[in-house]
Amino acid sequence: MKKIKMPNAFVTLFILMAIMAVLTWIIPAGAYDYVDPEASKLQPIAGTYHRVEQNGQGLWEALNSPIQGVYDTIDIILFVFVMGGFLKIVYKTGAINAGIGSVIRKMNGKESLMIPFLMFIFGLGGTIFGMSEETIPFYLIIIPIFVAAGYDALTGCMVVFAGTHIGNMASTTNPFSVGIASGFANVSIGDGLLLRVILFIVLELVGAWYITLYAKKVKADPTKSLLHGTETSSEFEGVDFKEYTAITHKQKVVLILFALSFVIMIMGVIPWEGSFNVLAFDNFVNTLSNVPVLGSVLGGVVSFGNWWFQEMTLVFLISAVIIAKYCKMDNDELLATFIEGAKELMEVGLVIGVSRSITIIMDAGGITATILNLGENTLARMGSIPFLICLFLIYLPLAFLVPSTSALATLTMPIFAPLAGFAGVRPELVVVCYVAASGAVNLLTPTSGVLMGSLAMAKVPYNKFWQFSWKMVALLSVIVLVILSLVSVLG
């Protein structure tokens, strides 16, 4: 029997684009009245839907829509490219690997603490900057430690994989998921940040508890291991896990600069004045601007609380240069490394642009408003809690069909964020719903290259992985829905 192969992201998106173009000739066109018709991002007013003249999208409009999509999302695409260059420079310094390696060595012999501590460390990478593929080298380092401590290879595998991807499931500042989704939901990354931090802590603790229960059972009775009777664990016996040398002073400084970049980003996007009535940052910038000479030299500085993709891009661009120069990279090496990192994320950037083309076709054909009206008359009338539960369940198959988190955010946020407003649900909760659901799918789906590559490194069969993981993912999903429901009710 021929193996079924999932189409890549671009094929999926072009198929969806063609379907939507056809639907603009079939689905009745409509429109809403908007709170501010001149705003860059329109907010529809509930109950104002009305039919308009049909405007079916032809071949020219369909072919032109991806180009328009790139134009519309150029700020996000540029941010993705700069983030790629920034991360590549940081990884080239060896600071992240050395830092994790240092933690592993210090934890050696403290088996009872290793599971939650290491999961939290890997989870930070997932929740802050979307670490995923970068964890693959650590399987050959961490699994032997757990095998030597009396556990099995599945335990070590799950510490790395689940730790990282639970972090993705509760993304706090991950620019490739929550950052892009927030942009299309017309909210700041700072909106809902506290909720996502709480989710991250709770989900990592529950995941660590689940894995620890299994690990203790295996240590007490090795026959309880799901890998019992296989050769997997024996393959990791005697492996030298001390691959990384001690972390250097320079690498520590790089990690501090790395963390500081994200702290500055978070400070910049938190709506200090709008949500907390904090005027200190605006006042400080105004004071600097009025200082003779200095104000002219600094130029039009944007204060914390008013940042978005343009300012965030600048932070990571400057940080990349500072880190590279601190590590004594010459200009040629800096530029080559930065461009290499940007090239690695070119597909992500283009996927964002192509994804946007689908919304462009739907908007131009007038079917976005019609779909919103359908949702307004069904989902939105269920109430906030049923709305969030249904939205989470809708996102599960969508995340499987569109595995790119960036593409999924670009595709769905223009629909679901306004729909949430009809249901009385804050748009940042829609962002959390999307992040958690797509993260849950990526914790299990066999179409994920990262998952299958990780299992190959760990010598863990997928059926054993599924047998272990599905209950954990179901539990984490229920916890997400409970917390979202409580937040929705409490306001």
Side-chain angles (χ1 to χ4, degrees):
M1 182 177 178
K2 188 176 180 180
K3 184 178 179 181
I4 298 175
K5 183 180 180 181
M6 289 290 290
N8 64 40
F10 288 106
V11 173
T12 302
L13 292 173
F14 279 118
I15 291 172
L16 289 173
M17 188 177 70
I19 292 172
M20 288 304 165
V22 171
L23 290 178
T24 61
W25 295 88
I26 300 172
I27 296 176
Y32 275 94
D33 294 336
Y34 298 99
V35 175
D36 181 4
E38 302 300 322
S40 59
K41 295 186 178 179
L42 300 174
Q43 181 181 347
I45 301 172
T48 62
Y49 173 81
H50 53 277
R51 293 284 299 276
V52 297
E53 184 180 351
Q54 201 75 20
N55 185 27
Q57 300 296 286
L59 183 61
W60 177 263
E61 287 80 12
L63 293 176
N64 189 57
S65 60
I67 298 172
Q68 185 62 49
V70 171
Y71 272 102
D72 288 355
T73 58
I74 192 63
D75 54 343
I76 301 175
I77 293 172
L78 181 60
F79 174 69
V80 168
F81 288 167
V82 170
M83 276 297 300
F86 166 76
L87 292 174
K88 191 69 175 181
I89 285 174
V90 173
Y91 274 110
K92 188 164 187 178
T93 67
I96 292 179
N97 286 356
I100 295 176
S102 178
V103 169
I104 292 170
R105 282 191 301 277
K106 289 178 181 178
M107 292 296 294
N108 191 29
K110 302 174 184 176
E111 289 82 6
S112 61
L113 300 175
M114 282 171 61
I115 293 175
F117 191 81
L118 289 177
M119 283 186 67
F120 182 76
I121 294 297
F122 282 106
L124 283 175
T127 193
I128 293 173
F129 63 98
M131 185 167 71
S132 183
E133 294 91 342
E134 300 84 0
T135 60
I136 288 179
F138 290 102
Y139 290 95
L140 294 181
I141 302 168
I142 289 178
I143 291 175
I145 299 175
F146 282 93
V147 172
Y151 304 116
D152 63 358
L154 180 59
T155 302
C157 174
M158 293 307 299
V159 165
V160 181
F161 183 80
T164 305
H165 287 81
I166 289 173
N168 277 308
M169 188 178 178
S171 289
T172 50
T173 62
N174 180 357
F176 305 112
S177 59
V178 72
I180 293 170
S182 297
F184 285 107
N186 199 22
V187 294
S188 164
I189 292 178
D191 292 317
L193 178 60
L194 178 59
L195 169 61
R196 297 195 299 272
V197 169
I198 293 171
L199 267 177
F200 169 69
I201 294 171
V202 171
L203 296 185
E204 287 287 352
L205 286 174
V206 171
W209 166 78
Y210 185 91
I211 294 171
T212 300
L213 284 182
Y214 171 80
K216 287 182 176 179
K217 183 171 65 174
V218 169
K219 189 167 186 177
D221 183 1
T223 64
K224 299 292 184 182
S225 169
L226 292 175
L227 303 179
H228 180 66
T230 70
E231 299 297 322
T232 299
S233 293
S234 62
E235 292 187 29
F236 291 98
E237 291 176 359
V239 176
D240 182 13
F241 58 83
K242 297 179 180 179
E243 177 181 329
Y244 301 117
T245 57
I247 186 169
T248 64
H249 173 73
K250 183 177 289 188
Q251 288 170 331
K252 289 179 182 179
V253 173
V254 169
L255 288 177
I256 291 172
L257 293 172
F258 176 78
L260 186 61
S261 302
F262 283 93
V263 170
I264 293 173
M265 181 194 78
I266 294 169
M267 292 291 290
V269 299
I270 290 176
W272 295 106
E273 181 180 356
S275 298
F276 306 105
N277 199 31
V278 174
L279 304 177
F281 297 114
D282 286 332
N283 293 337
F284 178 70
V285 169
N286 290 334
T287 300
L288 286 180
S289 299
N290 292 325
V291 175
V293 182
L294 179 61
S296 299
V297 171
L298 289 176
V301 178
V302 179
S303 63
F304 283 171
N306 299 304
W307 285 22
W308 203 220
F309 282 104
Q310 185 172 342
E311 291 76 21
M312 292 191 299
T313 301
L314 182 60
V315 166
F316 289 107
L317 180 61
I318 293 173
S319 184
V321 174
I322 291 173
I323 290 173
K325 288 301 180 183
Y326 175 74
C327 293
K328 302 192 184 311
M329 290 186 190
D330 60 35
N331 292 336
D332 290 340
E333 184 182 10
L334 190 166
L335 189 59
T337 304
F338 189 89
I339 291 175
E340 184 182 354
K343 284 168 59 179
E344 290 177 358
L345 290 184
M346 180 172 289
E347 181 179 347
V348 174
L350 292 177
V351 160
I352 292 169
V354 174
S355 301
R356 180 64 177 165
S357 69
I358 296 169
T359 305
I360 290 171
I361 290 173
M362 293 171 63
D363 288 347
I367 65 173
T368 301
T370 303
I371 294 172
L372 276 178
N373 183 57
L374 177 63
E376 182 184 0
N377 293 326
T378 54
L379 283 176
R381 293 186 177 182
M382 293 180 176
S384 59
I385 294 177
F387 175 86
L388 287 169
I389 293 173
C390 287
L391 185 60
F392 184 89
L393 294 176
I394 289 170
Y395 261 121
L396 293 177
L398 286 177
F400 180 79
L401 292 172
V402 186
S404 167
T405 54
S406 304
L408 186 62
T410 310
L411 276 171
T412 60
M413 282 299 148
I415 294 289
F416 290 143
L419 188 57
F422 297 153
V425 174
R426 301 198 306 273
E428 58 265 32
L429 298 186
V430 177
V431 173
V432 173
C433 216
Y434 140 77
V435 168
S438 60
V441 170
N442 287 327
L443 269 167
L444 288 174
T445 177
T447 60
S448 167
V450 176
L451 170 57
M452 301 312 289
S454 301
L455 294 182
M457 291 286 289
K459 306 292 191 300
V460 173
Y462 179 76
N463 65 317
K464 299 296 183 182
F465 167 82
W466 171 268
Q467 187 178 345
F468 174 86
S469 298
W470 76 267
K471 291 180 183 177
M472 179 184 71
V473 175
L475 176 61
L476 296 176
S477 299
V478 170
I479 291 171
V480 168
L481 289 175
V482 169
I483 292 177
L484 280 174
S485 300
L486 287 174
V487 171
S488 177
V489 170
L490 297 175

